[in-house]
Amino acid sequence: MMRNILLLAILYFLQGLPYGLQAKFLPVYFRSHGMSLTNISLFKLLLLPWMCKALWAPYVDHYGTKRDWLMWSMSGLAVTCLLGAFSSPELIISLACVLFLFNLLTSTQDIAVDGIAIQILSSSELAYGNIAQVVGYKAGTLVSGGVLTWLSDHLPWAMLFLILVSVYSLSTLLVTVSIPHIGASHLEETEKSGPNSQQKNTDEKDEQYRWFFGHLTEVYRSPGTKWIIVFVLLYKLGEQGAISMVPLFLVDKDLPMSKVGFWTGMVGQVVSILGSFLGGWLLSHLSWSTVDLLKVSCMMRLFPAFSQILVVWLWSEEYATLCYVLSILGMLTMLLISGIVTTATFTMMMQCSQLAPSRIQATHYTVLATLEVLGKLTFSIVTGPITDLVGYRYVYLLFIALTALLLPLFKHCPPSLEEKANTNKNH
């Protein structure tokens, strides 16, 4: 069992590297070199492959094996990092192309890794596999977002990307050695089953067009779905905005990139991982209701948000050290609570999907997970322009308002979802 869990932790670690690079390292790097917050936010558009990966997921299932897709995506990432090493950060177009390839290949890798996880994990290993996913991904974000930011004061741009080239090259070798050929592709199975099966598949494709929209309608009409769609679109807006602006605010106050990267990237990610573990522990060992835990933790987010706005409004050179310490403490507290909120939210998404008919549960959860990303991505794109327009002081008022406006939503939580959430108290 431990071999499978360790392998998945490594694979999800590799998936976290590009996200940390784009969400943690590059914003701080660009801001320290004078790029506007608007242009930094527009780089988030390059994450769109993650929103569209469902379009090519059937091809990953249909052609080749998951191991083949994983090997090719790893090799492609190594080549992409090599291109990044020779793309100066001043050449925005070439760097944008490199980052787009990053996201295209990593989102494809995500499809293959999830497929491998389903195939190699037994029922008793699923919980440990989810821990490997969360911790591995956040650890990858920590390395690329924190360590690379810290190293950026000591190593040139090209060397940072060459480090990633070596990581992905070794990972390709690891995949080749560690992952067996697991099962045949759907295409191979179809060819083996003969021409009658191929004709049957053609008829099934025609039928799929007729039930597709009915399938999605059934997803939307499932108990609790309308409420949780609104929740997952909104629940991270204020929190994410507040957290993402802290490192850029500190860079604008002339703090060294290495120091900002250490606290916001390295230490911050460790605290976020601890928050995820804490959220899981509260749900599983203390038998908190998922809805109750979300109510409390979402309310608690207001305290670090208020502390951060005090720092922004009262910052002065005379008390710069004190303000810096308070800013870091506020951010770390927010990240700890954020880990709890994320764990509880994804648990509630799963509980809501379990209320749907079994034939649509997978689609139901995929829709919720996609909308969760959509909410965060859309707001992250406009955060920079808003901050450039109104300044840090007033944008933090917006973040607090968005965080507080979520709380009344709990009063309208459907009884069916609350009843399902309360099952934690009974186990």
Side-chain angles (χ1 to χ4, degrees):
M1 178 181 79
M2 288 307 300
R3 180 179 180 275
N4 290 340
I5 301 302
L6 180 59
L7 177 62
L8 288 175
I10 293 173
L11 293 176
Y12 284 115
F13 168 85
L14 296 170
Q15 284 183 224
L17 291 176
Y19 178 78
L21 182 76
Q22 295 172 87
K24 306 292 182 181
F25 168 64
L26 287 179
V28 173
Y29 183 91
F30 286 145
R31 190 59 176 171
S32 67
H33 287 73
M35 182 179 285
S36 71
L37 297 173
T38 299
N39 289 335
I40 291 173
S41 291
L42 289 177
F43 266 85
K44 300 292 180 64
L45 288 171
L46 300 174
L47 293 168
L48 285 176
W50 285 92
M51 295 299 306
C52 304
K53 66 177 183 177
L55 297 177
W56 59 87
Y59 293 96
V60 177
D61 274 335
H62 196 75
Y63 298 100
T65 64
K66 302 296 188 296
R67 178 178 180 271
D68 294 335
W69 281 97
L70 197 54
M71 288 177 59
W72 283 110
S73 62
M74 292 284 193
S75 302
L77 284 166
V79 174
T80 302
C81 289
L82 189 61
L83 293 174
F86 294 100
S87 298
S88 170
E90 284 74 29
L91 302 175
I92 299 299
I93 300 299
S94 62
L95 180 59
C97 291
V98 168
L99 295 177
F100 182 81
L101 280 175
F102 245 123
N103 290 307
L104 182 63
L105 291 166
T106 308
S107 59
T108 304
Q109 175 191 337
D110 179 62
I111 299 169
V113 173
D114 288 343
I116 288 172
I118 292 171
Q119 289 177 317
I120 68 174
L121 291 177
S122 65
S123 298
S124 62
E125 295 173 336
L126 286 177
Y128 296 102
N130 287 329
I131 293 174
Q133 178 183 16
V134 174
V135 175
Y137 189 87
K138 288 190 175 183
T141 303
L142 184 155
V143 170
S144 59
V147 175
L148 287 185
T149 306
W150 176 67
L151 289 174
S152 62
D153 277 350
H154 311 285
L155 296 175
W157 173 272
M159 184 59 67
L160 298 175
F161 273 86
L162 289 175
I163 292 173
L164 293 177
V165 171
S166 63
V167 169
Y168 281 114
S169 299
L170 290 173
S171 302
T172 304
L173 179 62
L174 173 69
V175 169
T176 305
V177 173
S178 302
I179 300 180
H181 288 282
I182 305 173
S185 68
H186 176 77
L187 181 62
E188 291 171 339
E189 292 174 350
T190 300
E191 291 173 347
K192 289 178 182 178
S193 58
N196 291 334
S197 179
Q198 291 180 5
Q199 179 61 43
K200 181 180 178 181
N201 286 338
T202 301
D203 295 338
E204 288 177 351
K205 287 180 181 177
D206 294 336
E207 181 67 22
Q208 286 175 0
Y209 290 108
R210 289 191 290 270
W211 62 255
F212 180 75
F213 289 105
H215 194 69
L216 290 180
T217 301
E218 192 173 6
V219 167
Y220 181 71
R221 290 177 178 173
S222 297
T225 301
K226 299 180 185 67
W227 182 88
I228 202 168
I229 284 176
V230 176
F231 182 83
V232 299
L233 284 171
L234 300 178
Y235 85 110
K236 280 284 186 179
L237 301 187
E239 169 200 304
Q240 187 183 48
I243 292 174
S244 65
M245 283 298 143
V246 170
L248 304 182
F249 172 76
L250 294 177
V251 167
D252 284 352
K253 296 301 179 181
D254 297 324
L255 271 77
M257 274 185 62
S258 57
K259 184 178 290 188
V260 173
F262 175 77
W263 285 107
T264 64
M266 295 172 66
V267 178
Q269 279 302 115
V270 170
V271 171
S272 179
I273 291 171
L274 291 175
S276 297
F277 275 118
L278 180 58
W281 181 76
L282 290 171
L283 289 172
S284 59
H285 289 80
L286 294 188
S287 298
W288 277 56
S289 160
T290 313
V291 175
D292 289 341
L293 181 58
L294 276 173
K295 286 179 184 177
V296 173
S297 53
C298 286
M299 191 178 302
M300 289 175 61
R301 293 187 301 184
L302 290 170
F303 295 104
F306 274 116
S307 71
Q308 189 62 45
I309 199 171
L310 286 176
V311 169
V312 171
W313 277 78
L314 301 178
W315 185 287
S316 67
E317 292 303 321
E318 184 180 359
Y319 300 105
T321 302
L322 176 61
C323 291
Y324 167 68
V325 171
L326 291 176
S327 180
I328 294 298
L329 288 176
M331 183 203 66
L332 294 179
T333 304
M334 180 71 88
L335 284 168
L336 181 69
I337 300 171
S338 173
I340 299 172
V341 171
T342 301
T343 299
T345 298
F346 275 83
T347 301
M348 189 168 64
M349 287 162 54
M350 184 66 71
Q351 291 168 340
C352 185
S353 294
Q354 289 175 343
L355 292 173
S358 58
R359 64 184 177 277
I360 64 167
Q361 285 180 352
T363 303
H364 189 281
Y365 187 79
T366 299
V367 168
L368 294 182
T370 302
L371 292 174
E372 195 265 349
V373 175
L374 177 64
K376 294 188 295 187
L377 177 59
T378 303
F379 188 66
S380 67
I381 293 171
V382 301
T383 300
I386 294 174
T387 308
D388 274 337
L389 181 64
V390 303
Y392 287 111
R393 290 185 171 187
Y394 294 103
V395 81
Y396 266 94
L397 290 176
L398 172 63
F399 298 152
I400 288 178
L402 289 171
T403 304
L405 286 173
L406 185 72
L407 300 178
L409 190 62
F410 287 105
K411 295 181 180 179
H412 304 283
C413 183
S416 58
L417 189 55
E418 276 202 274
E419 183 179 347
K420 183 66 177 177
N422 284 331
T423 56
N424 279 324
K425 292 184 177 181
N426 303 322
H427 297 283

